[in-house]
Amino acid sequence: MGAHGPAVNAAASFTPNDHSIHFFLQLALIILAARVVGWLGQKFLGQPQVVGEMIAGVVLGPSLFGLFFPELQAAIFPKETKNVLYVGAQFGVGLYMFLVGCTLHLDHFKTKAKSAATVSVAGIATPFLCAVLLTPWLLGMPGLFADGVSQWSATLFMGACIALTAFPMLARIINERGLAKTSLGTLSLTAGAFDDAVSWCVLAIVLATFGGGPGIAVIAIVGGIAFTLFMLVFGKRLLAPLGRAVETRGEMTNLVLAITLILFCLSAFLMDAIGIHAVFGGFLLGVCMPRGLFVAELKRKVEPLAVVMLLPMFFTYSGLNTRMDMVNSLSLLAIALGILAVSILAKLGACWAAARLSGEDNRTALGIGALMNSRGLMELIIINIGLQKGIIGPTLFSMMVLMAIVTTMMAGPLFEAVYGKRARASGELDTLRGEDGDAPGAAIASRPV
């Protein structure tokens, strides 16, 4: 497992063959861990498969595997191979969000536009207000924020972290629980997408204050709005010939699949290049894709590989950057619990209240709040950026990791308690599918629109 580079620097030099050797072993362990931990989470904790995969990523990192077997963990996941894993992770999560976008029904959004807008605004405004109140206290604690960080930048960063919804994870929970074609699922996905996009734009503004210049923020915000408007206005008409080609042949040919994947890669590239995130490019393209047989064929050809092999790479990459042993005193634990409580109140509470004010019944509003409160690995991405760019310190990073895991794990059980069980009993939703029921879109594709 050692590097096979030049003898003068053999321990540190990785050749392309070294990356290949590590990649295949890493991928085998990632798939195994995702399946095993996902099954255990479903069986004993009542968690959806996706939450188990998130935990599996942390298990493979320094928090557990590296804690007990540091040399073996470092040999299998050396830092030199992280860039390769990162690319696979972005491809996996972007492709999955593309497929999720294909299942989104804008008819539901049109009927729930007022509710979605209200929930989105509340899910952004309240977290930033809480960040204004919380950040001065955190800045007074040594080691949480990096030296030299202004209160303005720290407040924006904390607001973005609290406002963030785990969009990919939210989408997967909605799929696994049979909500993809319901108004509640569509409303939650739409509000979550908007909140995440705003959070990433705010992050771009924060990064601009750390040497990147104002151009970073301008490109992210203006470019994101322009691409979104272009896709929503012209996307469906430009992509319609792909749907007609599939309907004519009765199947998706390799040529149509190739064109579709090229368009996905270009959309992901554009969103990544302007500083937002590849997942939004994939999701927006999916929203504009032809429906009917085209989507059914696309999911049949692409979804199993994306869900089983590629998406777990995303969770593992973030898990490799996570350390759960940093919150190691009662005072730090108290601060971490305070951040957790504020985050739940600011997101779950605000989205619930907004949904109620927009006319949703209490059960539906609670279900929306429970789903929007999930933060997952998108949170880990944004705080990893904050750590790498010198905005936060390792201790605050670990506290935010704890918040991300707790809010994500509570999303599924809380949703079932306030909405899911009663909805299934009344026949509003299908019976909750198991892990291999199968991939989270298989049953969805078979249900009538």
Side-chain angles (χ1 to χ4, degrees):
M1 298 299 296
H4 298 151
V8 294
N9 197 18
S13 300
F14 269 62
T15 67
N17 189 55
D18 292 315
H19 287 289
S20 175
I21 292 171
H22 283 83
F23 178 76
F24 288 116
L25 179 58
Q26 289 170 357
L27 195 54
L29 288 178
I30 289 169
I31 296 173
L32 176 63
R35 294 287 98 186
V36 172
V37 180
W39 178 82
L40 290 174
Q42 283 190 321
K43 180 114 177 132
F44 299 105
L45 300 177
Q47 293 288 338
Q49 171 75 16
V50 65
V51 176
E53 291 176 3
M54 182 185 78
I55 297 173
V58 176
V59 167
L60 290 175
S63 297
L64 192 63
F65 187 22
L67 182 65
F68 292 102
F69 306 99
E71 294 183 0
L72 180 60
Q73 198 271 346
I76 297 174
F77 295 99
K79 62 181 181 180
E80 291 85 356
T81 66
K82 276 190 175 182
N83 288 343
V84 177
L85 195 59
Y86 173 80
V87 174
Q90 298 311 298
F91 179 64
V93 73
L95 187 61
Y96 183 78
M97 289 311 301
F98 169 58
L99 295 172
V100 169
C102 289
T103 68
L104 186 68
H105 283 256
L106 294 179
D107 290 342
H108 286 153
F109 172 65
K110 292 174 183 176
T111 61
K112 296 288 184 178
K114 179 182 176 182
S115 299
T118 304
V119 171
S120 295
V121 172
I124 287 292
T126 307
F128 276 92
L129 177 61
C130 290
V132 170
L133 303 175
L134 180 66
T135 304
W137 175 55
L138 295 177
L139 281 170
M141 305 291 175
L144 296 186
F145 283 95
D147 294 336
V149 176
S150 68
Q151 183 171 327
W152 165 256
S153 296
T155 300
L156 286 179
F157 183 79
M158 285 300 298
C161 289
I162 297 174
L164 200 69
T165 292
F167 190 43
M169 191 162 292
L170 171 65
R172 186 125 186 235
I173 290 174
I174 285 174
N175 270 354
E176 289 186 348
R177 298 191 176 254
L179 298 167
K181 294 188 177 180
T182 67
S183 59
L184 183 149
T186 302
L187 189 155
S188 300
L189 269 179
T190 305
F194 178 80
D195 288 1
D196 275 13
V198 171
S199 294
W200 282 103
C201 289
V202 170
L203 178 63
I205 296 174
V206 174
L207 293 178
T209 67
F210 280 78
I216 293 178
V218 172
I219 291 173
I221 296 172
V222 176
I225 293 174
F227 181 73
T228 300
L229 291 176
F230 175 82
M231 292 301 298
L232 294 179
V233 174
F234 301 106
K236 282 197 171 184
R237 279 179 286 178
L238 293 175
L239 297 170
L242 294 176
R244 290 195 293 269
V246 173
E247 295 288 347
T248 301
R249 292 287 298 268
E251 63 176 357
M252 178 177 285
T253 63
N254 288 341
L255 176 60
V256 172
L257 178 61
I259 294 172
T260 302
L261 292 177
I262 289 170
L263 292 173
F264 157 71
C265 290
L266 290 174
S267 299
F269 158 74
L270 286 173
M271 287 290 98
D272 232 355
I274 65 175
I276 299 181
H277 201 277
V279 298
F280 295 107
F283 179 74
L284 281 172
L285 180 66
V287 168
C288 299
M289 277 293 170
R291 295 306 193 253
L293 183 60
F294 178 90
V295 171
E297 283 287 288
L298 182 66
K299 291 170 75 66
R300 182 179 66 85
K301 289 176 175 288
V302 175
E303 188 176 61
L305 185 66
V307 170
V308 175
M309 186 176 78
L310 297 177
L311 190 59
M313 294 173 64
F314 171 73
F315 299 115
T316 301
Y317 177 81
S318 294
L320 291 176
N321 294 319
T322 303
R323 296 192 63 94
M324 300 303 296
D325 58 350
M326 298 296 294
V327 183
N328 52 15
S329 70
L330 290 178
S331 60
L332 291 177
L333 180 60
I335 295 173
L337 293 177
I339 292 174
L340 174 63
V342 170
S343 299
I344 294 173
L345 179 64
K347 197 69 179 181
L348 189 155
C351 292
W352 164 79
R356 288 289 287 150
L357 289 174
S358 62
E360 302 292 339
D361 62 85
N362 187 58
R363 188 164 60 93
T364 301
L366 285 172
I368 292 169
L371 292 174
M372 293 290 290
N373 188 51
S374 172
R375 289 175 178 85
L377 269 297
M378 290 298 280
E379 182 79 18
L380 293 186
I381 289 176
I382 201 170
I383 61 177
N384 267 291
I385 293 174
L387 183 66
Q388 294 163 4
K389 298 295 184 180
I391 301 172
I392 62 175
T395 304
L396 182 56
F397 174 84
S398 300
M399 293 177 180
M400 301 304 289
V401 170
L402 180 64
M403 183 268 282
I405 291 178
V406 172
T407 56
T408 303
M409 291 191 68
M410 66 184 286
L414 182 60
F415 173 80
E416 285 298 310
V418 301
Y419 184 89
K421 289 183 179 178
R422 186 172 173 182
R424 294 178 211 291
S426 65
E428 296 175 47
L429 294 177
D430 291 347
T431 302
L432 184 61
R433 295 189 297 279
E435 171 202 344
D436 286 316
D438 247 343
I444 293 172
S446 65
R447 293 200 301 271
V449 176

